[in-house]
Amino acid sequence: MTSIEERPDAAGGAAGADPSAVLREIEQRVLWVATAIVHHANRVRPNPSGLKVGGHQASSASIATIMTALWFEHLRSGDRVSVKPHASPVLHAINYLLGDLDERYLTTLREFGGLQSYPSRAKDPDPVDYSTGSVGIGATAPIWGALARRYVSSLGADPGTGRQYSLVGDAELDEGACWEAILDPMVGELGEVVWIVDLNRQSLDRVVPNIGATRLQGMFEAAGWQVLTVKYGRLLEKLFTRDGGAALRRRIDEMPNPEYQRLLRCTPAQLRERLPGDDREIAGLVAGLDDETLHAAIRNLGGHDLAALGDAFAAIDDARPTVIFAYTVKGYGLASEGHPQNHSSLLTHDQLAELASAVGASVDEPWARFPAGSPAAQLCAAVSARLHREPAVAHPVAPIPVDIGRTPTGTATTQAALGRALLDLTRSAPDAARRVVTLCPDVSSSTNLGGWVNKVGVWSARERVDWFADDPETILHWRERPTGQHLELGIAETNLVGLLGELGATWSRWGEPLLPIGVLYDPFVERALEPWSFGIYAGGQSILVGTPSGVSLAPEGGAHQSISTPSVGLEQPGCISYDPAFAIDVEWTLLASLARLGRPDGTSAYLRLSTRPVDQTLAAVPTDPAARERRRRQVVAGAYPLRRAAEPALTIAAMGAVVPEALAAAERLEALGTPTDVVCVTSAGLLFDALQARSGRGDAETWVLDAAFPAFRATPMVTVLDGHPHTLSFLAGINQVRAAHLGVSRFGQSGDLDDVYRHHGLDADSIVRAGLDLAP
């Protein structure tokens, strides 16, 4: 009978100078440490609450070989890797063996202040290139990281070179975010992007009936990617060359996933019965194998063969993106391998002891390092030196003005004010403006960015011919060149905010801060919210502009009238939101938001703008320089008094597009004997933070509350905005007054502005009625 000892990758011998044996020893130790990290968190560490700690031993085991081959043979210091969420213990195990993670953290998985549940750039104590955890978002992040690095290079900086790897679970390819990114035309030119698919053919609940690897491969090929497949290890490849081998290959190739997975749970005797089926050739081949070899052969997939993986990495074509499909076994090497419910299963103490015996580790000393001077220890030291990166030296952004000095006149929209402010910035602060990069999902012209795009050009890795440059009727000039500052993606908001997050992280990756601004239709902010929020969590600082917004977009109908986005802005961590009413407010809040980007204590911003034309004289911008600066500070802080009555009986707090209605209502109420103050709210979130801080819950500045809502002017209050009324309802608590809250709480319909405002109770009549009901 053929013995397992004939396998070139047999793990039975002691590690020595043989490089393959040393790498195999490290692979086994990586598997052990990763498994022990999860075991300790669940079965050793005290758990007074009794709540599930969790962790994914099986998901980690399926990718341990892939990550060992990548880190210890092929990775270079300039490369970046996004690790699938459930393999975080493997990443920590590798970092520990390389000396980049202190031993004390190995017992802290999912503990407060310890190792995070999924890789986190911001919160883990060891090196993490990309935060993952939100399925599909971490997988695509290296694509946007590659684009961000190329953009930084176009500024004359040197962020280095290197590949951008994504380690992706096969079930993660169900996420639409993956395919939106893969299909974007820009991505086909990113040869540094490499995806490695951990093809274990299992999801959380089950064995996937038909993973459709061939179909997936065709989809990547159609998108212009190089497709490499590592399906079988050397033991199986050798068996395929024997009599009956071709039939065995065909049998395994055509076998449904559940049937194959069931074979992984079979004893050798059961394998001899089930594997051949009715094929006598296969039966003859199997009869010539000893039990150990047969047992090893059925799980000898390419994703667990270090040499096969090395061959695939060596075949990567850097001229285009590459995907490697590496067939694996979920739970490989563990007692739970191949079981359909092993996703979150945990080894028992006895099973852990069996694993320790199999890989040469110790349950009593689970974190023991390789002996000093041993070949494995030497390789770890060499790899650590090879992958070492010097910390990025942060370069500050040139000063950004707080006030460009222009006072808008006539009638204008806040949407148009964005493009105007960006153009003004190029003249007043060109060095800072050079760091601005704007992004759109094919809506540049309809969001009033045409003038900015004409001025700065569209970014492209290489200059492209503008075939309409001599067309006199062309208004938007699409000049693509490496010095451009506008990036246009396809109609996929997830792509836009994914790139936005990575552009906003260049300050921490390479010390080169950018000032990224993503502009999209406000009704689609919620579609983009989850990946944008995850980008903020991962350290990306950016500005998201939603425009046009609300039911003020009256003719577009209910489906395109965003009513909950003001609440989104108020509640989003790491973000300051603004809903300005006037063009000057847009300028001031935009400049303040830009100044908060690209620094360790920075924060993102969300600006909600409108296409409603507004008479700019209603802003009553003070002409005195000191008074103007006072107004600016209040605008940036969240609110300012816009109209003051001599002895107010009512206060209207209005935000955004409906401020003209609030002013008109105040005039009418005054004529009816109800003197009324009007406060223009620019940021509900900042006001809420100030109110919390006044109660000792936070450290925000509180002066804006006294400036906009002084206690001595406290009166009953009407709040009104083009959004859900609960957004401003907390304002009544500043001075504990009676209040009525107007806004939009149901789907709208098409119509002109007056009809739609009247339908939702945002018109001046509705505000007057609410005020009279409250007034003494």
Side-chain angles (χ1 to χ4, degrees):
M1 282 192 173
T2 302
S3 166
I4 194 171
E5 297 302 326
E6 294 184 20
R7 288 168 42 199
D9 60 338
D18 177 10
S20 63
V22 175
L23 197 60
R24 177 68 168 162
E25 183 182 6
I26 289 175
E27 175 212 16
Q28 295 289 281
R29 187 60 60 87
V30 168
L31 173 63
W32 164 258
V33 174
T35 306
I37 286 173
V38 180
H39 182 85
H40 188 281
N42 288 274
R43 301 203 186 277
V44 179
R45 191 170 71 217
N47 184 8
S49 70
L51 295 175
K52 176 185 175 183
V53 176
H56 300 84
Q57 291 173 330
S59 295
S60 293
S62 73
I63 203 169
T65 312
I66 294 171
M67 291 180 67
T68 300
L70 182 61
W71 258 263
F72 288 87
E73 282 196 309
H74 299 276
L75 212 59
R76 296 296 179 266
S77 62
D79 299 338
R80 297 291 190 276
V81 187
S82 174
V83 177
K84 72 172 189 175
H86 293 163
S88 65
V90 181
L91 177 61
H92 298 312
I94 290 175
N95 283 335
Y96 171 65
L97 294 176
L98 295 180
D100 291 327
L101 179 64
D102 191 276
E103 180 179 322
R104 64 189 173 92
Y105 285 107
L106 300 181
T107 59
T108 67
L109 180 68
R110 301 189 175 202
E111 184 178 72
F112 186 79
L115 299 177
Q116 299 300 296
S117 53
Y118 310 123
S120 171
R121 283 193 75 219
K123 296 185 177 181
D124 272 320
D126 53 333
V128 174
D129 291 333
Y130 290 100
S131 296
T132 59
S134 186
V135 178
I137 305 306
T140 58
I143 288 177
W144 314 125
L147 271 174
R149 181 163 57 185
R150 290 192 179 203
Y151 187 89
V152 167
S153 296
S154 71
L155 294 178
D158 182 17
T161 59
R163 290 174 178 164
Q164 297 276 345
Y165 291 93
S166 288
L167 304 180
V168 185
D170 51 1
E172 196 165 8
L173 293 180
D174 290 346
E175 277 290 339
C178 293
W179 298 104
E180 288 181 359
I182 290 164
L183 294 175
D184 192 274
M186 275 192 179
V187 176
E189 300 178 358
L190 302 177
E192 63 267 46
V193 170
V194 179
W195 281 25
I196 304 170
V197 180
D198 176 13
L199 196 67
N200 60 42
R201 293 175 279 188
Q202 285 187 240
S203 60
L204 190 151
D205 291 327
R206 61 175 181 160
V207 176
V208 179
N210 286 297
I211 197 74
T214 302
R215 175 174 53 86
L216 292 173
Q217 290 162 349
M219 292 167 71
F220 275 98
E221 287 175 344
W225 289 48
Q226 178 191 24
V227 178
L228 302 173
T229 301
V230 189
K231 189 168 187 179
Y232 299 118
R234 286 173 294 171
L235 174 58
L236 270 178
E237 290 288 0
K238 186 174 181 179
L239 292 179
F240 292 156
T241 66
R242 298 186 182 182
D243 292 341
L248 177 62
R249 180 193 288 271
R250 187 167 56 252
R251 165 83 168 119
I252 298 176
D253 280 345
E254 297 174 356
M255 189 179 292
N257 288 341
E259 182 182 3
Y260 174 79
Q261 295 289 116
R262 182 63 186 89
L263 294 180
L264 296 172
R265 310 291 297 170
C266 289
T267 64
Q270 292 171 325
L271 280 175
R272 294 184 191 282
E273 177 184 348
R274 295 190 180 203
L275 180 57
D278 297 327
D279 195 302
R280 293 184 178 181
E281 282 190 280
I282 301 175
L285 175 59
V286 168
L289 303 177
D290 62 44
D291 285 353
E292 189 177 1
T293 301
L294 179 59
H295 185 268
I298 198 60
R299 52 192 34 78
N300 182 231
L301 299 181
H304 302 301
D305 189 299
L306 292 163
L309 288 166
D311 291 342
F313 293 146
I316 292 173
D317 175 10
D318 288 323
R320 54 180 173 154
T322 296
V323 60
I324 300 173
F325 287 92
Y327 281 71
T328 61
V329 173
K330 193 165 185 174
Y332 182 75
L334 307 183
S336 60
E337 69 177 0
H339 194 281
Q341 278 85 52
N342 68 5
H343 183 80
S344 297
S345 65
L346 299 168
L347 299 187
T348 65
H349 289 291
D350 290 342
Q351 290 170 335
L352 188 76
E354 292 172 4
L355 177 63
S357 177
V359 302
S362 169
V363 172
D364 296 328
E365 297 182 76
W367 321 123
R369 296 183 181 274
F370 294 115
S374 67
Q378 291 176 1
L379 180 56
C380 287
V383 171
S384 178
R386 186 182 78 223
L387 298 181
H388 176 73
R389 300 175 192 155
E390 292 295 331
V393 178
H395 295 86
V397 177
I400 295 172
V402 297
D403 185 352
I404 291 173
R406 191 170 58 85
T407 302
T409 58
T411 300
T413 70
T414 55
Q415 176 178 286
L418 172 69
R420 177 81 257 175
L422 288 174
L423 286 172
D424 286 344
L425 186 65
T426 63
R427 291 184 282 268
S428 62
D431 291 339
R434 186 66 186 95
R435 294 278 174 171
V436 173
V437 52
T438 56
L439 295 81
C440 271
D442 198 41
V443 293
S444 299
S445 55
S446 56
T447 55
N448 282 109
L449 284 182
W452 163 260
V453 173
N454 287 345
K455 171 76 173 178
V456 301
V458 178
W459 182 86
S460 175
R462 63 180 186 276
E463 189 150 357
R464 301 177 188 271
V465 175
D466 179 8
W467 295 104
F468 289 87
D470 59 347
D471 186 338
E473 296 184 9
T474 298
I475 299 175
L476 180 63
H477 298 287
W478 211 253
R479 300 186 182 95
E480 297 180 81
R481 55 199 182 212
T483 58
Q485 292 180 244
H486 178 75
L487 280 159
E488 189 89 0
L489 299 176
I491 306 175
E493 285 76 16
T494 297
N495 287 350
L496 174 107
V497 296
L499 178 54
L500 196 64
E502 289 306 317
L503 290 167
T506 59
W507 67 273
S508 60
R509 290 198 192 281
W510 302 296
E512 294 290 344
L514 297 175
L515 307 176
I517 303 172
V519 184
L520 72 165
Y521 291 158
D522 196 68
F524 305 141
V525 163
E526 288 175 294
R527 181 188 298 177
L529 179 61
E530 189 254 350
W532 187 55
S533 176
F534 201 80
I536 294 174
Y537 168 81
Q541 299 168 11
S542 60
I543 298 173
L544 189 65
V545 177
T547 182
S549 64
V551 299
S552 296
L553 187 59
E556 292 293 330
H560 279 179
Q561 294 174 356
S562 53
I563 62 176
S564 58
T565 48
S567 301
V568 166
L570 179 140
E571 296 165 6
Q572 174 60 45
C575 170
I576 295 175
S577 62
Y578 290 108
D579 197 340
F582 301 106
I584 191 65
D585 297 350
V586 174
E587 177 191 304
W588 287 339
T589 56
L590 175 66
L591 294 175
S593 299
L594 289 171
R596 298 187 188 107
L597 301 180
R599 61 193 209 193
D601 61 342
T603 187
S604 295
Y606 162 49
L607 272 63
R608 186 175 187 258
L609 307 182
S610 173
T611 49
R612 189 205 178 162
V614 172
D615 178 3
Q616 296 303 303
T617 62
L618 294 177
V621 180
T623 56
D624 179 83
R628 179 186 176 101
E629 172 58 15
R630 180 172 179 269
R631 165 71 71 85
R632 185 200 68 80
R633 290 183 66 243
Q634 292 172 344
V635 166
V636 171
Y640 60 94
L642 184 56
R643 183 185 190 276
R644 288 299 199 203
E647 295 183 6
L650 183 73
T651 299
I652 301 174
M655 185 167 76
V658 297
V659 167
E661 275 64 35
L663 290 170
E667 292 289 340
R668 290 169 56 182
L669 285 164
E670 182 93 28
L672 292 170
T674 304
T676 302
D677 282 353
V678 176
V679 176
C680 184
V681 175
T682 54
S683 176
L686 287 177
L687 294 183
F688 184 79
D689 290 345
L691 184 59
Q692 289 287 87
R694 177 183 280 182
S695 303
R697 301 179 183 91
D699 56 2
E701 295 183 348
T702 62
W703 64 265
V704 66
L705 300 179
D706 297 321
F709 303 98
F712 69 88
R713 298 186 70 87
T715 63
M717 178 183 293
V718 177
T719 67
V720 58
L721 76 156
D722 185 359
H724 198 282
H726 105 278
T727 308
L728 298 181
S729 61
F730 71 92
L731 294 177
I734 296 174
N735 292 310
Q736 302 297 315
V737 298
R738 293 184 299 118
H741 307 293
L742 307 182
V744 184
S745 56
R746 60 190 185 276
F747 290 114
Q749 59 183 3
S750 297
D752 63 32
L753 200 62
D754 289 341
D755 287 340
V756 170
Y757 275 10
R758 188 178 306 111
H759 172 72
H760 289 286
L762 303 178
D763 60 324
D765 285 351
S766 298
I767 299 173
V768 169
R769 285 195 294 268
L772 291 175
D773 289 342
L774 289 172

